[in-house]
Amino acid sequence: MNLSPQDITAIGLSMKIAITATAISLPFGFATAWLMVFRSFRGKVLLEVFVNLPLTLPPVVIGYLLLLFFGRNGWGGGLLKSAGIEFIFTWKAAVVASATVGFPLLVRSIRLGMESIDQQFLQASRSLGAPWYDTLATVVLPLSFRGMLAGSALMFARSLGEFGATIIVAGNIPGLTQTIPLAIYDYASSPTGTTMALSLCAVSIFLSAAILLLHEVIGKNLENRRRA
């Protein structure tokens, strides 16, 4: 496998963006799933539609909306500019793009984990007079761990492959914002880049398969401990 220093930088940046996007989104994904499963309120359907909207929108649309919001004339861009933070066409913009696109997968997996919790555990906690936050920490959180793990794995893999939103809001700058998919795009546009593109494709497949395999192994270990 022939990888240039620029390719290695793109691989490292992709890992950095995927890890950061997943870590930042996890607490928000857990809170959102908890609201959807255990709370009833007006506008709940609208929340579900809003959370799942990135699954149906083209990534380019998401990237363009983020560009408008965080651009120089956008509300978010104005706040960042006043704080002296450079955002557009940086790796931080790629993190937000990846987090936005992958967030519905994270929430859906955590939600499924929460919905599978035996109601008897929740009723027992309430009957003992435990406040909601105690039930959340001692019952919901531990029993939702497998769903959190699954969602994190899916979001990480999705972030590794994010292209459309990233290229709009972060650009394709080698060494700064160029990730694996963007580098493959560059090689695919070149008549002599087939070999390099295939090498990065192989790396992408390996990383995605490795994280999914790790998820399966950890999930089975957790299931065996629960049965023991």
Side-chain angles (χ1 to χ4, degrees), residues 161-207:
E162 168 50 35
F163 175 83
T166 301
I167 197 171
I168 295 295
V169 76
N172 186 11
I173 308 172
L176 293 177
T177 64
Q178 187 177 72
T179 58
I180 295 176
L182 298 179
I184 293 174
Y185 173 78
D186 273 356
Y187 285 129
S189 303
S190 172
T192 60
T194 302
T195 301
M196 302 300 291
L198 287 174
S199 297
L200 285 177
C201 286
V203 171
S204 182
I205 293 171
F206 172 78
L207 291 175

Side-chain angles (χ1 to χ4, degrees), residues 18-37:
I19 292 172
T20 305
T22 304
I24 292 175
S25 300
L26 189 56
F28 295 101
F30 181 86
T32 302
W34 180 78
L35 284 174
M36 290 180 171
V37 175

Side-chain angles (χ1 to χ4, degrees), residues 49-122:
V49 171
F50 180 76
V51 169
N52 291 301
L53 193 59
L55 288 177
T56 59
L57 286 176
V60 173
V61 173
I62 296 174
Y64 185 67
L65 293 176
L66 290 175
L67 182 63
L68 292 178
F69 182 77
F70 289 107
R72 292 182 178 180
N73 298 324
W75 184 74
L79 289 178
L80 293 175
K81 184 178 180 180
S82 63
I85 300 175
E86 292 290 334
F87 183 79
I88 296 297
F89 301 125
T90 67
W91 75 276
K92 295 185 286 292
V95 169
V96 173
S98 296
T100 303
V101 173
F103 191 72
L105 298 175
L106 177 66
V107 173
R108 178 166 295 188
S109 296
I110 299 176
R111 182 177 179 179
L112 290 174
M114 289 181 176
E115 290 175 344
S116 66
I117 297 176
D118 192 334
Q119 293 296 316
Q120 292 182 354
F121 293 117
L122 300 175

